[in-house]
Amino acid sequence: RLALGLAYVDAEIDENVFNALGLPIAVKGNTIPFAPEIQASLSASYDFPISATLRGALSASYSYRDATESDAANTPFLRNDS
């Protein structure tokens, strides 16, 4: 059995957001925190008989998650690598 998953999200902030002091905490056009643009997964499994009452199984999987931002300001040193 094979399984494949793929997701694409274009998530960005729609408008500037300011704190109580008037300082920007989110800038229009920045990426929404922890929202990867691309995620993918692949898995494979194989079941097989060992005896009349016993079965064996082999499986493997892989997943990928694009880099994400940790805050709404998209601070470079807080970026989460893929």
Side-chain angles (χ1 to χ4, degrees):
R1 181 172 75 159
L2 293 174
L4 174 67
L6 182 62
Y8 171 79
V9 176
D10 185 17
E12 61 180 48
I13 296 168
D14 289 338
E15 60 185 54
N16 293 330
V17 179
F18 301 92
N19 65 14
L21 301 174
L23 300 172
I25 57 172
V27 178
K28 181 179 180 176
N30 279 4
T31 302
I32 293 177
F34 304 106
E37 187 174 20
I38 297 173
Q39 293 185 84
S41 64
L42 173 67
S43 65
S45 62
Y46 177 70
D47 296 334
F48 54 93
I50 294 176
S51 70
T53 59
L54 188 62
R55 295 191 60 79
L58 296 172
S59 65
S61 62
Y62 173 79
S63 63
Y64 171 80
R65 179 180 168 155
D66 219 355
T68 61
E69 304 297 339
S70 291
D71 64 346
N74 291 180
T75 308
F77 71 87
L78 295 177
R79 185 173 174 88
N80 304 302
D81 293 330
S82 56

